[in-house]
Amino acid sequence: MRAMDYRGPYRVRVDEKPMPEIQHPRDAIVRVTRSCICGSDLHLYHGMVPDTRIGQTFGHEFCGIVEEVGSEVEKLKVGDHVLVPFNIACGQCHFCKQGLYGNCHESNPAATAVGGIFGYSHTAGGYDGGQAEYARVPYADFGPTVIPDWMDPDDAVLLTDVVPTGYQAAEMGGIQKGDTVVVFGAGPVGIMAARSAWLFGAGRVIVIDHIDYRLEFVREFAPAEVYNFKELDDVVVFMKKTTDGLGADVCIDAVGAEASGNILQSIIGKRMKLEAGSAIALHWAINSVKKGGIVSIVGVYGPTGNLVPIGNVVNKGLTLRANQASVKRLLPKLIEHVKEGRIEPKKIITHKVPLDDIADAYHLFSAKLDNCIKPVLVLANA
């Protein structure tokens, strides 16, 4: 089959690879119909994530047709069109029983933090992903969800990660009616977090970024007040002034390790890799939220430490909440929101690209060319 092949930082291509096979009775083989490139894939592409190995196939956001199932798979059948959560969850371990599907203890037993993730580094289990014609899906009797007949596959594929991650960012913020919510980052997850904030009762939603076309998009899509941090003298001082000196009720870090906006953080976090990426968005979130407020973190950081203002966290009495999205837990509610038109995921898709052009798609997304917000690979056999 043809599949994406990682060759090192900023180098990907499509190669012929062996067809995936059933390795466990709970496995399924899925013929991929759509597969996204995620901002998290760019962290791999940029060489920011430890133990990303040459030859791996990325892709943790995909949907497709079930081609084969293992002997213990009872809830799926050949021919089902399914969306596949990016978390690989067994559904049976201590953490899955709590709904913490991003922390499955069985899918990535060598790690003490994150569970298995499709198409990510070996810190997340080393599973091949869905930027390929076919993918092996472990625990197929638990994770994959049959796409409702009425749902557009373009909406479905975005329910595998970006929509639930943005939604959970808002959920973890504990938003109360009328709250002021600030989202740092106008990428796809930040856009969905801003949209979701309204569903939890926000009274004011503000988005901070430095990419003007993305700010214009989220201004209309969320909708939200938007500000380019390059046009502000001091992000934190501005946030205090615009919230009557109090600070926001909830701040969401939807940027993570590759944040821009501070030279020192960029040097030690991104160039020298002395910490797990630039933490400037997290600094802004901690320092912009009000005393007693909540900071919700869904931006991706590496497993090593970051310099963060922990003293301010303590002295302000903040609550920090963070995790990978628990996709399977959120899907029933999100499918309802899509059906009722409260969330329209496919509107963020700006580019549809064939698998063979994946190198161009990564470059386009990484360099933020052609007003790219979300590229989706549409497979030839879709």
Side-chain angles (χ1 to χ4, degrees), residues 87-110:
N87 328 102
I88 302 174
C90 73
Q92 299 175 343
C93 71
H94 175 80
F95 300 104
C96 284
K97 287 179 179 177
Q98 298 179 59
L100 297 170
Y101 302 128
N103 309 102
C104 176
H105 207 47
E106 296 298 320
S107 61
N108 190 20

Side-chain angles (χ1 to χ4, degrees), residues 327-368:
V327 178
K328 187 71 175 180
R329 176 179 65 82
L330 297 170
L331 277 176
K333 176 61 71 176
L334 293 174
I335 289 172
E336 178 185 334
H337 282 319
V338 173
K339 188 174 185 178
E340 297 301 322
R342 293 187 283 265
I343 300 177
E344 299 173 277
K346 64 186 177 186
K347 285 190 173 181
I348 70 170
I349 297 174
T350 52
H351 294 76
K352 290 186 175 181
V353 184
L355 178 63
D356 281 345
D357 292 343
I358 196 164
D360 292 338
Y362 267 86
H363 175 65
L364 180 96
F365 193 29
S366 171
K368 298 178 176 60

Side-chain angles (χ1 to χ4, degrees), residues 141-175:
D141 53 340
F142 181 75
T145 297
V146 176
I147 300 171
D149 292 339
W150 53 265
M151 183 175 284
D152 190 320
D154 287 346
D155 284 325
V157 73
L158 295 171
L159 293 181
T160 61
D161 179 2
V162 59
V163 177
T165 297
Y167 188 84
Q168 183 165 314
E171 180 191 61
M172 291 191 300
I175 298 167

Side-chain angles (χ1 to χ4, degrees), residues 42 66 87 238 275 283 309 315 364 378:
L42 295 183
V66 176
N87 328 102
F238 172 79
E275 59 176 352
H283 277 249
N315 291 327
L364 180 96
V378 178

Side-chain angles (χ1 to χ4, degrees), residues 1-5 7 13-19 55 57 132-134 355-356:
M1 68 168 184
R2 295 183 68 70
M4 176 268 195
D5 191 25
R7 306 309 303 166
R13 68 189 186 199
V14 173
D15 279 334
E16 289 291 333
K17 291 190 173 184
M19 280 285 292
T57 295
E133 291 180 318
Y134 295 87
L355 178 63
D356 281 345

